[in-house]
């Protein structure tokens, strides 16, 4: 962890929990700090918490650039919220119940919700309402579905707005045959009906929100890259909602679903590095220090959704529930075939041929410049350390 990353963590703790900082602003590489805050989707949060004395150390050009970035992103946040409200109203008028996932459903736990950077709009509907919801958006000006075969959501866009209509929450495609994942799916069957309203938003019940947040983090950590923004979401949820009695009620569910250990590690990382008060999560103190450090270092090295790391294709070899990297390759590939080609689920006899079809599609997309070059040998070599870390987190293992 370098000095810039340490300052970024200190400022994040100050922004979220008014934690004290001990760095000298004269020693800070402010351009590097701006870059890191951008990589972690924290530019608004960090700018807001800088003191006048600290801002005085910023080069004038950087100060103007940072301030402009903040203004544009706050404006985009407001536009997203307005668009989200319109969509929820459209769905309500069509008698399609929904709940907001991530984004603004996490923002209102922050000291200042407007400082939580939003990316797109994620709404969970009943599976039987997903297609109708998408058609309503298309009548409203949204385009064709981008990812028709995605296992949990359909994505449509209109200008600068991206909307994902979910039929299930994120993080459930890592091991489709897992008993734990089946139990999680059953647990969320009636999530839309059991929603609550906070700040005029339909959101998941508190217990389901906790599990949804953890699954989202686990999914991104294992496949695409988990950022500090998602860690901040969890830290704020813990201090605002997850009191001792709720934790005691939630703990058996986390254990049943095989995500208790990961929850403990993530929470300990929030305590040790984001300055979440220990009193808010005394149950996190007993988790492994080294694993916690490796998790936060990976988060810092990869950035939000992996923007800093070239991880494309590496997940082929890093499935923590496979026996080794070779079996991981086939496990992930078959899972991808089932996701992209639903016929494989109905007709298992097609599965042996599906990987070759998937490879052919990749080569075509690569030829059109739609996919990066994939060096499988390099990815195999680089995946070893990550896979060991992922295994240590015991995902979906009771």
């Amino acid at each position: 962890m370098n000095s810039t990353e340490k300052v970024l963590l200190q400022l994040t703790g100050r922004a979220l929990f008014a934690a004290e900082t001990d760095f000298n602003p004269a020693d800070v590489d402010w351009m590097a700090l701006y870059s890191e805050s951008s990589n972690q989707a924290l530019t608004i949060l960090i700018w807001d918490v800088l003191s006048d004395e600290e801002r005085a150390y910023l080069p004038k050009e950087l100060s103007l650039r940072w301030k402009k970035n903040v203004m544009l992103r706050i404006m985009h946040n407001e536009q997203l919220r307005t668009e989200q409200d319109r969509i929820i109203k459209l769905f309500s008028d069509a008698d399609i119940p929904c709940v907001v996932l991530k984004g603004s459903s996490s923002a209102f736990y922050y000291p200042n919700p407007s400082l939580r950077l939003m990316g797109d709009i994620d709404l969970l509907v009943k599976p039987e309402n997903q297609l109708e919801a998408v058609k309503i958006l298309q009548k409203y000006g949204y385009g064709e579905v981008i990812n028709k075969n995605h296992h949990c959501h359909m994505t449509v866009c209109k200008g600068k707005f991206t909307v994902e209509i979910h039929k299930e929450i994120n993080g459930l495609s890592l091991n489709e045959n897992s008993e734990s994942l089946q139990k999680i799916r059953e647990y969320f069957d009636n999530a839309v009906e059991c929603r609550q309203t906070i700040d005029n938003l339909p959101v998941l019940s508190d217990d389901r929100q906790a599990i949804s947040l953890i699954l989202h983090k686990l999914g991104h950590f294992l496949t695409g890259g988990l950022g500090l923004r998602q860690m901040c979401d969890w830290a704020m949820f813990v201090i605002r909602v997850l009191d001792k009695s709720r934790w005691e009620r939630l703990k058996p569910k986390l254990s049943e679903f095989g995500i208790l250990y990961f929850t403990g590690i993530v929470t300990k990382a929030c305590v040790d590095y984001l300055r979440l008060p220990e009193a808010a999560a005394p149950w996190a103190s007993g988790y492994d220090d080294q694993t916690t450090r490796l998790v936060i270092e990976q988060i810092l090295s990869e950035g939000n959704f992996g923007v800093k790391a070239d991880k494309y294709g590496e997940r082929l070899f890093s499935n923590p529930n496979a026996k080794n990297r070779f079996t991981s390759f086939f496990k992930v590939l078959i899972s991808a075939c089932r996701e992209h080609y639903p016929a494989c689920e109905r007709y298992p006899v097609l599965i042996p041929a599906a990987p070759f079809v998937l490879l052919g599609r990749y080569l075509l997309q690569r030829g059109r410049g739609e996919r990066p070059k994939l060096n499988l040998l390099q990815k195999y070599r680089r995946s070893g350390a990550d896979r060991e870390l992922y295994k240590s987190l015991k995902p979906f293992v009771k």
Side-chain angles (χ1 to χ4, degrees):
M1 187 184 305
N2 61 41
S3 59
T4 299
E5 292 166 343
K6 291 177 181 177
V7 172
L8 178 64
L9 290 173
Q10 288 193 48
L11 287 170
T12 303
R14 182 200 290 178
L16 299 180
F17 309 112
E20 294 184 1
T21 54
D22 60 2
F23 63 86
N24 184 346
D27 297 331
V28 175
D29 182 338
W30 291 100
M31 180 59 77
L33 181 66
Y34 171 76
S35 178
E36 283 302 310
S37 66
S38 179
N39 287 332
Q40 298 291 347
L42 296 177
T43 46
I44 307 177
L45 195 72
I46 300 303
W47 171 263
D48 181 73
V49 81
L50 292 177
S51 67
D52 291 339
E53 178 188 358
E54 289 162 347
R55 291 183 187 178
Y57 282 90
L58 273 69
K60 184 177 180 180
E61 182 179 344
L62 175 60
S63 180
L64 292 173
R65 178 181 173 187
W66 202 333
K67 189 182 300 184
K68 180 180 178 180
N69 178 285
V70 166
M71 291 174 63
L72 290 173
R73 291 183 180 276
I74 288 178
M75 185 183 304
H76 184 59
N77 274 0
E78 290 304 314
Q79 292 170 336
L80 273 173
R81 289 190 183 95
T82 300
E83 182 72 2
Q84 181 176 268
D85 290 343
R86 289 172 180 162
I87 293 171
I88 292 172
K89 177 66 164 56
L90 286 172
F91 287 177
S92 177
D93 291 344
D95 197 26
I96 297 178
C98 68
V99 294
V100 178
L101 300 175
K102 304 178 288 182
S104 53
S105 74
S106 293
F108 51 64
Y109 296 118
Y110 282 64
N112 184 342
S114 66
L115 302 182
R116 198 276 186 189
L117 185 64
M118 293 177 61
D120 51 25
I121 297 169
D122 294 82
L123 299 171
L124 175 69
V125 300
K126 298 178 183 178
E128 60 266 29
N129 289 336
Q130 187 185 38
L131 284 174
E132 185 182 355
V134 168
K135 290 178 181 178
I136 287 172
L137 290 181
Q138 289 173 334
K139 289 180 182 178
Y140 183 53
Y142 281 81
E144 291 297 313
V145 176
I146 295 174
N147 51 346
K148 294 182 180 180
N149 295 324
H150 195 280
H151 71 96
C152 75
H153 62 71
M154 292 183 174
T155 303
V156 290
C157 300
K158 182 181 72 173
K160 56 189 170 184
F161 300 126
T162 297
V163 180
E164 293 183 356
I165 302 298
H166 291 249
K167 64 180 179 181
E168 69 178 24
I169 61 171
N170 294 84
L172 297 182
S173 66
L174 303 174
N175 185 359
E176 288 79 356
N177 297 318
S178 166
E179 179 184 349
S180 295
L181 288 184
Q182 184 56 39
K183 289 181 178 179
I184 296 171
R185 285 189 170 95
E186 292 171 359
Y187 179 68
F188 279 89
D189 272 349
N190 62 342
V192 175
E193 292 94 329
C194 298
R195 64 190 182 277
Q196 60 178 323
T197 301
I198 302 179
D199 195 24
N200 295 319
L201 285 179
V203 297
L204 294 168
S205 64
D206 287 338
D207 288 1
R208 287 184 174 87
Q209 176 79 329
I211 293 170
S212 174
L213 286 171
I214 286 297
L215 286 171
H216 182 228
K217 283 154 193 51
L218 179 58
H220 277 295
F221 190 76
L222 297 180
T223 62
L226 176 64
L228 284 180
R229 178 178 60 171
Q230 287 75 39
M231 296 291 286
C232 293
D233 290 351
W234 178 248
M236 294 312 306
F237 180 83
V238 169
I239 198 167
R240 302 291 189 202
V241 180
L242 206 55
D243 57 26
K244 183 178 179 181
S245 62
R246 182 165 281 111
W247 168 252
E248 290 301 325
R249 187 175 72 240
L250 188 63
K251 186 176 177 181
K253 278 293 177 189
L254 294 170
S255 179
E256 180 185 4
F257 297 156
I259 53 177
L260 177 60
Y261 190 79
F262 180 74
T263 303
I265 290 293
V266 166
T267 310
K268 182 173 174 57
C270 290
V271 172
D272 292 353
Y273 297 97
L274 297 184
R275 309 292 291 278
L276 171 67
E278 290 185 28
W283 39 270
S285 61
Y287 286 87
D288 183 64
D289 289 332
Q290 182 179 0
T291 303
T292 303
R293 177 180 58 79
L294 290 173
V295 165
I296 202 70
E297 287 180 353
Q298 180 145 321
I299 289 170
L300 291 169
S301 69
E302 293 183 351
N304 193 57
F305 297 149
V307 296
K308 293 173 62 180
D310 176 19
K311 290 268 184 170
Y312 182 73
E314 196 167 311
R315 76 184 188 98
L316 287 167
F317 302 104
S318 57
N319 188 305
N321 294 316
K323 291 182 178 180
N324 53 53
R325 281 178 280 178
F326 287 107
T327 55
S328 170
F329 178 82
F330 291 103
K331 191 179 186 71
V332 174
L333 203 57
I334 290 172
S335 173
C337 290
R338 285 175 169 157
E339 178 178 324
H340 291 284
Y341 305 113
C344 290
E345 201 66 42
R346 296 192 299 271
Y347 309 106
V349 69
L350 297 176
I351 290 178
F356 297 98
V357 177
L358 201 63
L359 176 60
R361 190 180 74 165
Y362 162 75
L363 292 174
L364 287 174
Q365 293 173 329
R366 176 78 181 94
R368 295 195 298 260
E370 298 172 0
R371 289 286 186 271
K373 184 177 179 180
L374 182 57
N375 186 325
L376 289 177
L377 181 59
Q378 180 191 69
K379 297 301 180 182
Y380 173 83
R381 289 170 175 166
R382 290 174 52 178
S383 64
D386 282 354
R387 185 170 177 276
E388 289 305 311
L389 174 58
Y390 300 159
K391 284 175 62 179
S392 73
L393 297 172
K394 308 171 187 177
F396 306 114
V397 177
K398 296 181 181 180

